[in-house]
Amino acid sequence: MMKDKLQNIKDEALKAIEQADVPEKLNDVRVRFLGKKGELTAVLKGMKDVAPEDRPKVGQMVNETRAAIESILEESKVKMERAIREEKMKQEVIDVTLPAKKNTVGHRHPNTIALEEVERIFTGMGYEVVEGPEIEYDEYNFRKLNIPDGHPAKDEQDTFYINKDIVLRTQTSPVQARIMEQGKLPICILSPGRVFRSDEVDATHSPSFHQIEGLVIDKNISFSDLKGTLEVFAKELFGEETKTKFRPHHFPFTEPSAEMDVTCFKCGGKGCRFCKGSGWIEILGCGMVHPHVLEMCGIDPEEYTGFAFGVGLERIALLKYEIDDMRLLYENDIRFLKQF
């Protein structure tokens, strides 16, 4: 009778093991048949009802049944784990022939690249880079630069007014006025920065753009110093073959004033689509600092002279990288920016 009972337990256990499809169910079988409150333990607890002479034999049969169930449990567990691992390996297979995912690393904007190059050229000549406020007093933006109220240049510049005394600066020249006012001479500075004019947006205009202006003030500074400086700048920026040409012009804060052209670096001055057939490209405005500007900033024009020049940063970037539409610089199109 005991033998039959043990055989039934064994058969039930094997059937339960066979039906188990996850490791958790195998564990349930172990607890149900071999645990502290399991069926085999219950048989052992009923040994007191067995005749003393039969107890060793029954004990042996119980142990054999336990060993058989444990052995099959272990075997099933190993098989199940192997199958689960193989399935996982199939799902997690890595195709090593696929191209790797590249990290997209950012880089400097074309404007920044052009600015750093201009700064490198001028700091190499001993200039100091200085910056000033983008929201400026009318006095520094206009009056101290020899543009009094009612002056036509004030209308030409399409200024953004915050109130009658405060404007968004239309040029970086007010930085020069602020430096001159400090009275620490000689002066040799470069002032780059963002400027604002109420222009319509098109291929060559924007209400917000960047200027780089230079100012040198010392004793015995002449126009030839200005020409020499700007010639070195043009050769450094556009190549050793570049020639420069100065055309008379008018600016309220310089006298005499000039526009500077450089030979087209695309065709070397022969004339092409890039320079509209002329062989020359206009690059910047410059001149000798007007004596009245020196006076207003507390510098004696009898003792000191100086020159100033201003160049549009976007203009340099557009020329240098042969970009034909300024809007591209600000649209943040990754396909365009990636080229730099």
Side-chain angles (χ1 to χ4, degrees), residues 141-285:
N141 197 73
F142 293 118
R143 211 171 58 73
K144 281 191 184 284
L145 300 171
N146 209 21
I147 307 173
D149 289 344
H151 195 288
K154 234 175 162 173
D155 303 331
E156 281 167 24
Q157 294 199 4
D158 299 325
T159 313
F160 287 110
Y161 279 87
I162 290 170
N163 60 36
K164 71 179 180 58
D165 296 322
I166 298 173
V167 300
L168 293 184
R169 67 179 178 188
T170 58
Q171 54 211 355
T172 53
S173 312
V175 180
Q176 301 177 356
R178 285 171 174 275
I179 296 291
M180 283 191 277
E181 244 186 11
Q182 292 171 12
K184 292 178 190 159
L185 298 165
I187 294 169
C188 186
I189 58 163
L190 193 71
S191 53
R194 195 204 303 263
V195 299
F196 308 87
R197 294 184 191 178
S198 60
D199 278 333
E200 290 293 321
V201 175
D202 63 27
T204 54
H205 294 89
S206 164
S208 168
F209 56 101
H210 297 77
Q211 267 191 355
I212 309 167
E213 299 199 12
L215 171 73
V216 172
I217 292 179
D218 203 351
K219 292 175 180 173
N220 307 318
I221 295 287
S222 68
F223 204 93
S224 55
D225 296 311
L226 169 61
K227 288 181 79 169
T229 301
L230 294 179
E231 199 165 304
V232 170
F233 164 62
K235 285 186 187 323
E236 282 282 328
L237 192 64
F238 298 117
E240 273 304 313
E241 305 306 309
T242 310
K243 292 186 176 68
T244 54
K245 174 173 80 176
F246 291 80
R247 288 178 287 106
H249 194 72
H250 168 73
F251 296 113
F253 31 86
T254 51
E255 182 60 44
S257 309
E259 294 269 12
M260 184 178 97
D261 300 339
V262 294
T263 43
C264 176
F265 36 89
K266 193 93 174 118
C267 63
K270 295 188 189 78
C272 67
R273 181 189 67 82
F274 200 61
C275 57
K276 300 187 175 67
S278 71
W280 294 92
I281 294 170
E282 182 191 311
I283 191 83
L284 56 80

Side-chain angles (χ1 to χ4, degrees), residues 58-77:
V58 172
Q60 192 185 346
M61 281 159 65
V62 170
N63 285 340
E64 279 170 3
T65 306
R66 178 187 289 277
I69 294 173
E70 271 182 347
S71 157
I72 293 163
L73 261 175
E74 197 52 44
E75 206 175 294
S76 298
K77 187 182 170 195

Side-chain angles (χ1 to χ4, degrees), residues 118-132:
V118 173
E119 284 183 352
R120 180 188 59 77
I121 294 166
F122 281 103
T123 50
M125 291 193 232
Y127 283 65
E128 182 190 351
V129 178
V130 294
E131 290 180 352

